[in-house]
Amino acid sequence: MARPPSRRPGQNRKAQYSLFASYVVAVTGALAGLLLIIIAMFDPTGFAAIRSAGAEITRPASSGLKELVSGIGTVDERIAAFYRAGSQNVSLRRQVDINRTRLIEAAAIEQENVRLKKLLKLVEEEKDEVATARLISSSSSSTRRLARLNAGRSQGAYPGMPVRAPEGLIGRIYTAGPNTSDVLLLTDSSNVVPVRRSTDNIAGISTGADDGSLQIKSLSAGRNPFKPGDILVTSGTGGLYQPNIPVAIVVRIAGDDAVAVPLASPARVEMVMVQRPFEESLARSPGTSKQQSTGRQPAAPVALPPATAPNSANTAPATSADNAVSVAQ
């Protein structure tokens, strides 16, 4: 029978020291545990203090072990996320492109809503509108400055009717078809508009320069009264355009004339309103005289004779005041 191997470390001092140290650690741990049990039994307050101190001492090690365990537990998720990063990046880029397109559409819709609200406010204020329409194109090959309107005779738009936008006057209808019409713009040389300065009512004539600007001629003799920054509005003279419609702003002085630019540019305006001519609007308004529409005080009513057979006793002679009222009317 073979001799069982000896458990003694023999002459290896390193093994001896290791074995001795293990015994010491085991005995020390047992004694420390026994001591803690005794303290816990006979001095709970002191044991709680010792436990708190031990928790503070071992806190860094506990935190490190916790993070290590958490990191090891999420290694598979990180590896899967790394391999899915390419497809996720592509999908996120597509979503960003879609959101960018939606933001652009939302901004365009917001701008259109602002223009429509302005036009709606204008329609509510103006009682002589015929139709509202869009400027859909312009005739670039023509020598005339024209714009195309998607409203015609079927919508009540006829040649000569003024066309305006919330920003100001656009022009007047030049030709009209069944559902489309051409608008002669303010910048056309054949479009003449009576205007006045909004601050002091100095009258002038606006004529298109065929280059996107307007030439303003003063009706008063002497030095040109206009200066850069003046706002010009329609005066109502001529019976076509209603008074006080914004027309243009003066940008510079050229000799005896002033150069202005329209406040309502067809390049930036989409929605416009077709109106009746000013004199026709006055005729359609019941009980409204021309003097009242232009801001003048109405004349006193004329005393008419009774509707009886004329004779010298019943007919009142006309006085000079009555004659003057008749001339004013």
Side-chain angles (χ1 to χ4, degrees):
M1 182 176 179
R3 184 180 178 181
S6 177
R7 294 181 179 275
R8 300 182 63 180
Q11 301 297 324
N12 190 345
R13 292 188 177 277
K14 184 177 181 180
Q16 293 176 358
Y17 291 152
S18 298
L19 182 60
F20 177 75
S22 62
Y23 288 155
V24 171
V25 170
V27 173
T28 305
L31 292 176
L34 182 60
L35 180 61
L36 291 175
I37 292 174
I38 295 171
I39 294 173
M41 293 176 60
F42 295 99
D43 190 7
T45 303
F47 179 76
I50 293 174
R51 186 174 58 183
S52 299
E56 290 294 330
I57 294 173
T58 59
R59 185 176 62 85
S62 300
S63 300
L65 292 175
K66 179 64 176 179
E67 293 179 358
L68 179 61
V69 172
S70 300
I72 294 174
T74 57
V75 167
D76 56 343
E77 297 179 0
R78 295 182 180 180
I79 294 174
F82 176 77
Y83 282 104
R84 291 197 302 265
S87 60
Q88 290 177 352
N89 191 14
V90 172
S91 62
L92 289 176
R93 287 180 180 275
R94 291 177 180 174
Q95 187 65 33
V96 168
D97 294 338
I98 294 173
N99 292 338
R100 183 185 298 112
T101 303
R102 290 178 179 176
L103 287 175
I104 294 173
E105 292 176 353
I109 293 174
E110 182 179 2
Q111 294 178 0
E112 185 176 7
N113 287 338
V114 171
R115 292 193 295 268
L116 291 176
K117 286 180 180 178
K118 291 181 179 179
L119 187 63
L120 179 60
K121 182 179 179 181
L122 180 62
V123 170
E124 291 176 350
E125 293 176 353
E126 300 291 341
K127 302 303 181 182
D128 60 343
E129 74 278 359
V130 175
T132 56
R134 290 180 180 269
L135 291 175
I136 55 178
S137 65
S138 60
S139 55
S140 58
S141 60
S142 175
T143 57
R144 312 298 298 271
R145 295 295 180 265
L146 301 174
R148 185 65 50 80
L149 195 66
N150 66 343
R153 296 178 183 270
S154 299
Q155 291 76 30
Y158 291 91
M161 287 187 171
V163 178
R164 65 163 298 179
E167 293 81 3
L169 188 64
I170 297 293
R172 56 183 171 87
I173 295 181
Y174 186 64
T175 58
N179 295 296
T180 58
S181 56
D182 291 334
V183 179
L184 187 67
L185 301 177
L186 292 178
T187 54
D188 190 271
S189 58
S190 62
N191 200 343
V192 179
V193 180
V195 297
R196 64 177 180 84
R197 188 159 60 184
S198 60
T199 55
D200 52 8
N201 297 330
I202 292 181
I205 295 295
S206 170
T207 307
D210 291 334
D211 59 356
S213 63
L214 304 174
Q215 291 182 353
I216 310 299
K217 296 181 179 295
S218 175
L219 296 182
S220 59
R223 184 172 173 270
N224 188 353
F226 300 107
K227 60 182 182 297
D230 289 344
I231 302 296
L232 304 176
V233 298
T234 55
S235 63
T237 305
L240 179 59
Y241 302 105
Q242 291 188 6
N244 303 324
I245 300 177
V247 177
I249 181 172
V250 177
V251 293
R252 69 176 187 273
I253 304 300
D256 295 335
D257 300 336
V259 178
V261 293
L263 291 173
S265 174
R268 299 190 302 268
V269 172
E270 293 184 3
M271 301 297 299
V272 296
M273 183 175 65
V274 181
Q275 294 180 316
R276 294 186 179 87
F278 181 42
E279 298 247 343
E280 182 181 345
S281 300
L282 291 179
R284 293 175 62 90
S285 300
T288 304
S289 63
K290 184 175 181 181
Q291 289 83 353
Q292 291 174 338
S293 300
T294 54
R296 300 177 184 175
Q297 295 295 331
V302 180
L304 298 177
T308 57
N311 53 50
S312 59
N314 295 331
T315 303
T319 62
S320 59
D322 296 333
N323 293 333
V325 171
S326 300
V327 173
Q329 290 182 339

